Amino acid sequence: MTLSWIDPKTALRPTVAGLLAGATLAATLGLAGTTQAAELRFGHGGTEDTAYHLGATRFKELLDEKSDGEIGVEILGNSVLGHETEMFEQQMAGALDLSIINPGLITDFSSTANVFSIPFLYRDEEHWQAVLDGDVGREIADRISAETDVRILAFYGGGKRQIVSTEPLESLEDLEGLKLRTNPTKPLITAWEALGADPTVMEWEEIYTGLQVGAIDGLLNEAEWIHRMRFHEVAPHIGLSEHDITVRLLTMSQMSWDRLSEEQQQMVQEAAEESASYAREVQLEQDAEALELLAEEGATLHELDRERMQAVVEEPLQSVIEEMGLADLHRMIVDAE
């Protein structure tokens, strides 16, 4: 018996009626007994060589060990179940058990998730790790869970975001008027406007062509994805702003969680936390390797005055943070050690 009930081929854009029917069926099935084997479906958007898939595979291995084979995991990667937003909606409805989600894609469902879109949030890698593994990380996870009925088990991530540009970035003055593709979140737009750039919204699949034809002058991205998408071929200048270290949510449908016994829940939680530590280490390594590859393949790396950037955006960002009701979480993050 499995914990999920919707066929992957029909789960891309489930109808409301279908989701309700699935939820009803799931409630009827439940777990007949704690000794009965269960299978969790784990969807994600990464290919097999990404930290997404390697982390998911580690989670599967750990859970198999901890449960002595009682709980299986079926990994469905490469977006076969749809976009991350669609997979999150499936989890909200109880139609998918697990997934890895970019918090910037679920701000329509969780206002708390906006906290991860604040640039210059972390002092360094050590601070980032402390936030995710400490009390503030659990507080953020609990708030998102309460807002969405999707449980945040742990945090993946680890890509350091930089500025990719068709033009040299020898000083912060070179940001003036730069048409910079950003995600459409208020903290990001506010920060980059304060730095003189012109934040622009563009679909992911249009970025390479947009850079070629001059519709945009640059974007914000991690070294791994700059290299994977070959953005440096048309935008060979990379400003080392390190304005963010990515966070990805390892999520589980609350309905799926509730159908597990307490012992099984503990196994899942432990496997999640251990796989998250592994996945973050992998992501940090891949990010550093990709930056070296970019330089080897002809990209020019520009050192930027990060402290000056933080000083410029501090006041306008604080207003937005307060307006969005994130001041307490932001303070907790800043104070984390």
Side-chain angles (χ1 to χ4, degrees):
M1 188 188 75
T2 66
L3 290 181
S4 301
W5 55 89
I6 288 186
D7 192 299
K9 296 177 182 177
T10 62
L12 291 178
R13 288 187 177 275
T15 63
V16 172
L19 292 175
L20 289 175
T24 301
L25 177 58
T28 301
L29 288 174
L31 281 176
T34 58
T35 60
Q36 188 169 15
E39 175 117 351
L40 301 170
R41 288 196 311 147
F42 191 150
H44 68 78
T47 54
E48 290 188 356
D49 59 343
T50 60
Y52 272 37
H53 189 77
L54 295 171
T57 301
R58 185 66 181 137
F59 173 82
K60 176 179 180 177
E61 294 168 349
L62 286 164
L63 192 54
D64 182 67
E65 292 173 8
K66 293 176 184 297
S67 69
D68 197 23
E70 178 183 315
I71 306 176
V73 179
E74 179 187 11
I75 300 173
L76 299 158
N78 209 19
S79 299
V80 296
L81 296 181
H83 189 266
E84 287 181 28
T85 307
E86 294 173 314
M87 286 189 280
F88 194 78
E89 289 174 333
Q90 291 170 43
Q91 286 182 288
M92 290 173 71
L96 176 65
D97 302 310
L98 296 145
S99 66
I100 303 168
I101 301 293
N102 177 347
L105 298 176
I106 62 165
T107 55
D108 286 346
F109 308 116
S110 167
S111 59
T112 300
N114 280 294
V115 74
F116 291 119
S117 71
I118 300 171
F120 303 104
L121 196 57
Y122 314 106
R123 294 187 293 275
D124 48 33
E125 270 180 42
E126 185 178 351
H127 180 222
W128 172 74
Q129 298 272 24
V131 168
L132 299 187
D133 290 333
D135 292 341
V136 62
R138 180 41 49 195
E139 177 66 22
I140 293 170
D142 289 346
R143 291 193 194 186
I144 295 175
S145 300
E147 291 165 351
T148 63
D149 272 345
V150 174
R151 192 175 187 87
I152 312 305
L153 296 174
F155 299 101
Y156 283 21
K160 295 176 182 178
R161 305 213 100 195
Q162 319 287 5
I163 308 168
V164 190
S165 174
T166 57
E167 302 297 328
L169 296 171
E170 295 173 356
S171 72
L172 295 188
E173 282 65 37
D174 291 328
L175 292 174
E176 191 66 38
L178 196 74
K179 288 180 289 185
L180 200 60
R181 189 268 186 183
T182 69
N183 290 327
T185 61
K186 198 162 185 179
L188 273 176
I189 291 171
T190 298
W192 291 103
E193 283 180 341
L195 289 163
D198 179 12
T200 304
V201 177
M202 177 175 284
E203 293 296 328
W204 173 255
E205 60 271 15
E206 298 173 1
I207 292 175
Y208 192 98
T209 302
L211 291 166
Q212 281 183 310
V213 303
I216 55 173
D217 302 313
L219 66 144
L220 309 174
N221 214 217
E222 306 98 82
E224 179 187 356
W225 286 99
I226 298 168
H227 189 263
R228 284 180 183 275
M229 302 303 293
R230 311 303 296 173
F231 291 142
H232 59 298
E233 294 176 345
V234 288
H237 298 279
I238 300 174
L240 302 177
S241 57
E242 294 190 6
H243 57 274
D244 189 19
I245 305 178
T246 60
V247 173
R248 298 295 179 258
L249 312 176
L250 176 55
T251 58
M252 184 172 191
S253 169
Q254 187 66 43
M255 295 183 193
S256 301
W257 175 266
D258 290 342
R259 289 194 297 275
L260 297 173
S261 68
E262 288 188 13
E263 183 181 10
Q264 289 171 326
Q265 288 174 349
Q266 183 176 350
M267 294 173 189
V268 168
Q269 186 63 48
E270 289 176 357
E273 292 172 3
E274 291 173 34
S275 73
S277 295
Y278 168 78
R280 296 205 301 258
E281 181 180 341
V282 169
Q283 184 75 75
L284 288 166
E285 290 176 358
Q286 289 182 337
D287 187 72
E289 290 168 1
L291 196 61
E292 290 181 3
L293 283 174
L294 289 170
E296 289 173 8
E297 294 178 13
T300 302
L301 308 184
H302 301 272
E303 294 288 345
L304 295 176
D305 189 341
R306 192 170 181 271
E307 288 187 7
R308 183 180 162 201
M309 295 177 79
Q310 287 179 286
V312 170
V313 303
E314 183 177 5
E315 187 173 335
L317 267 181
Q318 193 57 47
S319 297
V320 171
I321 291 166
E322 292 174 2
E323 179 184 324
M324 299 181 75
L326 299 172
D328 63 329
L329 286 179
H330 182 253
R331 175 46 54 190
M332 290 171 67
I333 291 170
V334 170
D335 291 343
E337 296 180 356

